[in-house]
Amino acid sequence: MRQSVEQVAAELDELLPQLQCQRCGYPSCADFAEAIARGRCRANRCDPGGSRVLDDLNRLTGGTDGHLDPAHDTLLLPESVIIDESECIGCTLCIKACPVDAIIGSAKLMHTVSSLDCTGCELCLPVCPVDCIYPSQTSEKDSPLFQESLLARAPDHRAHFRQRAERLGNSDKPHRVGNSLAMKKTIADSVARARGKRDHIRGNAVCREKDTAR
Ligand code: SF4
Ligand code: SF4
Ligand code: SF4
């Protein structure tokens, strides 16, 4: 019996790493799976899945791509990220960008990442106004260790992504970070305060060095 597009998409989604990283060019793993099932996209775009996932997708779809599309093929990828809490200004933008609720914190308080829940998608990096989020546990994505870790963590990542989508009541749309003028002003003020604080600390350190040199 012929399978429906939805059934094929669900089977394809089962093979994907569930990082929800958008490196394939789609808002989520499920969207990428659906695009393949509908014949709108080739299967060679899941960067973190590398050759392992490409082989799995080819087996299911009858595809023949031997390599990832070079535009979606990165050698080194992080398993998670860390926040430099001394620099964090508590703006909460990273929480809004995180597809799996892996960041803990609230407004004006420092934020931290649950490394167990973090998929390493790096979607929080570009939204941080003070650049205090860094990739962690970076390794070659085709290494057995990296791929075994993806396999082991995929069910939890999928569950967290769905829980978040249900909570937001927005399961068919990717999350978009707000960019209202008020939000931009709040962030600009916070950045200015953080810079002022940092310059003050550096200024004190220079004074101490000069005092010691005398
Ligand atoms: S893991 Fe990332 S690149 Fe692979 S299908 Fe999911 S969202 Fe796309
Ligand atoms: S903490 Fe950052 S890198 Fe980790 S899952 Fe959330 S958005 Fe992705
Ligand atoms: S985006 Fe950056 S500054 Fe804002 S809460 Fe997250 S880590 Fe802190």
Side-chain angles (χ1 to χ4, degrees):
M1 197 173 66
R2 195 178 165 83
Q3 285 182 306
S4 69
V5 169
E6 288 75 20
Q7 286 170 325
V8 175
E11 285 189 25
L12 290 168
D13 185 52
E14 282 294 320
L15 302 174
L16 297 173
Q18 305 303 316
L19 301 193
Q20 317 302 343
C21 63
Q22 305 183 6
R23 292 184 180 105
C24 51
Y26 287 84
S28 70
C29 298
D31 286 299
F32 179 51
E34 186 181 336
I36 301 171
R38 292 188 182 282
R40 292 179 184 154
C41 175
R42 284 162 65 172
N44 62 349
R45 292 170 67 157
C46 177
D47 192 341
S51 51
R52 176 184 65 81
V53 166
L54 177 58
D55 289 347
D56 288 347
L57 296 175
N58 278 341
R59 265 192 290 279
L60 195 63
T61 61
T64 54
D65 284 312
H67 304 281
L68 285 182
D69 179 334
H72 303 268
D73 190 6
T74 313
L75 178 64
L76 300 170
L77 288 174
E79 279 194 38
S80 60
V81 301
I82 50 171
I83 291 175
D84 180 346
E85 292 167 5
S86 67
E87 298 279 319
C88 173
I89 57 173
C91 70
T92 75
L93 287 180
C94 54
I95 290 186
K96 296 182 179 82
C98 181
V100 291
D101 283 340
I103 301 176
I104 303 145
S106 55
K108 297 184 181 160
L109 292 174
M110 69 179 186
H111 287 45
T112 193
V113 174
S114 162
S115 59
L116 277 181
D117 298 333
C118 175
T119 71
C121 71
E122 299 185 289
L123 294 176
C124 52
L125 267 66
V127 304
C128 179
V130 293
D131 292 332
C132 70
I133 310 177
Y134 303 94
S136 171
Q137 298 173 280
T138 299
S139 50
E140 286 189 24
K141 66 136 180 270
D142 276 321
S143 69
L145 265 183
F146 187 88
Q147 290 301 320
E148 280 163 22
S149 173
L150 287 190
L151 271 172
R153 301 167 82 198
D156 281 349
H157 291 332
R158 182 188 287 107
H160 295 156
F161 177 71
R162 287 181 179 167
Q163 281 162 14
R164 177 180 171 80
E166 279 168 24
R167 183 167 57 75
L168 295 174
N170 194 19
S171 57
D172 60 342
K173 292 181 192 148
H175 184 80
R176 293 279 176 255
V177 174
N179 63 349
S180 69
L181 284 176
M183 174 66 95
K184 282 182 177 166
K185 178 161 184 343
T186 304
I187 293 164
D189 290 348
S190 298
V191 172
R193 276 200 303 278
R195 285 199 180 127
K197 194 169 131 195
R198 194 166 52 209
D199 291 347
H200 179 69
I201 291 167
R202 282 183 185 150
N204 283 345
V206 170
C207 288
R208 273 199 300 277
E209 277 170 22
K210 282 182 180 164
D211 288 346
T212 316
R214 276 185 199 138

